[in-house]
Amino acid sequence: MVQRILFLHGAGLQPGPGGNPVLEAVRRQWPDADLVTPDLPSPENPDPELWQEAIGRAVRAIPDEPWVIVGHSLGGSEALRFLCNRIPTLLQRVVTVAAPCWCPEHPDWNERGFALPPTVGRTLADLEIVVVHAEDDDVVPSTHARCLAEQLPSAELVLLPSGGHLPTSWTDRGLIA
């Protein structure tokens, strides 16, 4: 039973309460979990270092009990980047949803500050990671999920036929224990 979920939003204008379908689907599927939802700084113009600092503060505030990270879009790729430097104790699983893969294979997504290190596959090999993406995502193409899965060979790749950039059907698949 998941007791705590750290939800990391993506970049761009953030919807008001109840406005992020991914967050609301997580809330509905795991109603008894304490859902931690930090505001990551300047989402319209994200700074990689400021996001890492904010994620670090949120992680340090989590009590010593089993927990899970769900990161949507940039929140997912930034969660992975954070974990390359420190894997917190009692972290059970990471679920990225529609996360971009910042690498040369995606020239429009080649911002060096957000890129994962080349050692990401080895560094995170013992961590349970699920990469969720919808085939019809028109913001971050599903090729990004395949790229992340190549970089993270121990990750489970879940490709959904639909859901766009805000897929929610994954929540009923038991991907968070």
Side-chain angles (χ1 to χ4, degrees):
M1 173 87 150
V2 174
Q3 294 190 5
R4 190 168 314 272
I5 300 171
L6 174 61
F7 182 87
L8 301 174
H9 64 73
L13 183 63
Q14 297 303 301
N20 183 320
V22 177
L23 174 59
E24 292 311 308
V26 168
R27 191 182 314 273
R28 278 191 308 277
Q29 188 67 27
W30 295 279
D32 297 330
D34 181 17
L35 195 53
V36 178
T37 59
D39 288 327
L40 299 173
S42 304
E44 294 86 14
N45 187 24
D47 178 295
E49 294 317 308
L50 293 178
W51 275 46
Q52 289 297 295
E53 290 170 14
I55 292 169
R57 283 191 301 277
V59 167
R60 285 189 297 278
I62 293 175
D64 286 337
E65 61 188 28
W67 61 290
V68 172
I69 295 175
V70 175
H72 175 248
S73 195
L74 183 59
S77 58
E78 282 297 275
L80 294 173
R81 197 165 69 88
F82 177 83
L83 295 170
C84 285
N85 296 311
R86 177 175 173 246
I87 299 177
T89 57
L90 302 176
L91 175 61
Q92 292 181 316
R93 177 172 290 177
V94 178
V95 179
T96 67
V97 181
C101 184
W102 302 88
C103 61
E105 288 80 21
H106 302 284
D108 293 342
W109 297 81
N110 199 11
E111 179 71 35
R112 287 186 303 175
F114 293 113
L116 295 173
T119 58
V120 65
R122 286 191 311 273
T123 303
L124 303 182
D126 294 331
L127 190 58
E128 285 189 40
I129 301 172
V130 182
V131 175
V132 177
H133 216 103
E135 292 279 4
D136 66 347
D137 188 333
D138 62 349
V139 176
V140 179
S142 61
T143 55
H144 287 254
R146 291 178 184 88
C147 180
L148 282 175
E150 286 176 20
Q151 291 185 36
L152 301 162
S154 62
E156 176 184 353
L157 176 60
V158 176
L159 290 173
L160 306 169
S162 62
H165 191 59
L166 297 162
T168 59
S169 65
W170 65 272
T171 60
D172 59 6
R173 293 183 177 208
L175 298 177
I176 299 177

